[in-house]
C-alpha cells in the first residue's frame, strides 16, 4: 500500500552505517537519516570543520571513493536537502547552499545546533533506530513527540522558510507566516 500524507505523519530512523557497503560503513558512524512520511529525509551529521577545503560541501568526482569520515560527512551534506549538524559558533542558525545559479537545483539547508544538543539527538536517534530496525517500520509523530530530535524537526525544520512547499504538502502541513523575523541567516 502506497503511503499517503497524514498530519500525524510517520517517522523512521536509519543508521547510515547500515546503508553503506561494509568496507566503508564505519566512515558513516554517527550519521542518521530521519525519514518523515516515508519521503522527506533529514540527515543528522556529526560535526565537521567549516573551512575553504570543506565549504561548501561538494561531491567527490567518484562518490564511491570515500576514504575518510570527513569525506563521508561532506558527501552526505552535499546530497541532503536538509541537514542537522553541530557547530558551537553557528548554533541556532541556518546556512543555505546554492550549487548553481539556476533555479532547477534544490536548495540545501543546514541547521546548526550546539554540540550538546547534537549529542542528545544522537543518543535518541541511535535508540530509535534500534527500536525500529526495519526500513518499513515507523512511528507516528504523535507517539514520538517526547524525543528532542522530533521537537527540533517540528519547531525548526518544518517551520523554516526554506522547508520546501512540496515537503510541507507531503506532511500535510501549511506554512505559518509570522510578522517577526525568522532565524538570522549565516
Amino acid at each position: 500500500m502506497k503511503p499517503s500524507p497524514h498530519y500525524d505523519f510517520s517517522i523512521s530512523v536509519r543508521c547510515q552505517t547500515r546503508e553503506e557497503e561494509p568496507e566503508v560503513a564505519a566512515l558513516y558512524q554517527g550519521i542518521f537519516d530521519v525519514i518523515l512520511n516515508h519521503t522527506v529525509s533529514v540527515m543528522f551529521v556529526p560535526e565537521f570543520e567549516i573551512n575553504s577545503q570543506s565549504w561548501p560541501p561538494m561531491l567527490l568526482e567518484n562518490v564511491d571513493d570515500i576514504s575518510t569520515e570527513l569525506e563521508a560527512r561532506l558527501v552526505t551534506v552535499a546530497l541532503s536537502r536538509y541537514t542537522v549538524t553541530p557547530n558551537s559558533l553557528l548554533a541556532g542558525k541556518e546556512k543555505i547552499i546554492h550549487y548553481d545559479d539556476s533555479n532547477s537545483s534544490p536548495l540545501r539547508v543546514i541547521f546548526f545546533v550546539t554540540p550538546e544538543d547534537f549529542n542528545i539527538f544522537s543518543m535518541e536517534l541511535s535508540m530509535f533506530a534500534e527500536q525500529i530496525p526495519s526500513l518499513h517500520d515507523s512511528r507516528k509523530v504523535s507517539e514520538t513527540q517526547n524525543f528532542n530530535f522530533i521537537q527540533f524537526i517540528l519547531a525548526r525544520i518544518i517551520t523554516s522558510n526554506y522547508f520546501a512547499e512540496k515537503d510541507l504538502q507531503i506532511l500535510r502541513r501549511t506554512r505559518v507566516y509570522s510578522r517577526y523575523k525568522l532565524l538570522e541567516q549565516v
Side-chain angles (χ1 to χ4, degrees), residues 109-142:
V109 186
I110 301 175
F111 298 86
F112 293 100
V113 297
T114 66
E116 296 79 17
D117 284 342
F118 194 83
N119 287 339
I120 292 168
F121 297 163
S122 293
M123 287 186 293
E124 291 177 343
L125 289 163
S126 181
M127 183 179 71
F128 201 97
E130 291 299 320
Q131 291 176 354
I132 307 174
S134 170
L135 180 62
H136 303 290
D137 288 340
S138 63
R139 298 282 187 272
K140 295 292 184 187
V141 71
S142 62

Side-chain angles (χ1 to χ4, degrees), residues 3-157:
S4 62
H6 295 286
Y7 189 81
D8 190 14
F9 56 87
S10 65
I11 295 174
S12 59
V13 175
R14 304 296 303 153
C15 182
Q16 200 61 29
T17 56
R18 294 182 185 161
E19 305 301 312
E20 303 299 330
E21 295 297 323
E23 55 274 4
V24 295
L27 301 176
Y28 289 85
Q29 186 65 40
I31 298 175
F32 292 92
D33 186 4
V34 177
I35 305 146
L36 311 176
N37 206 32
H38 307 284
T39 308
V40 180
S41 182
V42 178
M43 298 302 292
F44 284 73
V45 178
E47 190 166 14
F48 56 90
E49 184 178 351
I50 295 177
N51 58 40
S52 60
Q53 279 80 39
S54 67
W55 199 263
M58 301 297 280
L59 293 177
L60 303 173
E61 283 186 35
N62 183 353
V63 294
D64 293 328
D65 281 343
I66 292 175
S67 60
T68 68
E69 283 185 346
L70 177 60
E71 288 175 346
R73 292 173 185 184
L74 293 176
V75 164
T76 300
V77 172
L79 290 172
S80 302
R81 178 95 189 231
Y82 310 108
T83 302
V84 178
T85 193
N87 185 298
S88 296
L89 298 175
L90 298 174
K93 297 182 180 181
E94 300 170 3
K95 189 160 184 71
I96 310 309
I97 302 173
H98 299 274
Y99 284 112
D100 63 28
D101 293 332
S102 75
N103 290 331
S104 61
S105 176
L107 291 175
R108 308 285 194 240
V109 186
I110 301 175
F111 298 86
F112 293 100
V113 297
T114 66
E116 296 79 17
D117 284 342
F118 194 83
N119 287 339
I120 292 168
F121 297 163
S122 293
M123 287 186 293
E124 291 177 343
L125 289 163
S126 181
M127 183 179 71
F128 201 97
E130 291 299 320
Q131 291 176 354
I132 307 174
S134 170
L135 180 62
H136 303 290
D137 288 340
S138 63
R139 298 282 187 272
K140 295 292 184 187
V141 71
S142 62
E143 301 168 357
T144 59
Q145 288 183 334
N146 59 324
F147 287 101
N148 291 290
F149 78 92
I150 298 292
Q151 292 171 14
F152 181 81
I153 288 170
L154 293 172
R156 285 276 315 281
I157 295 177

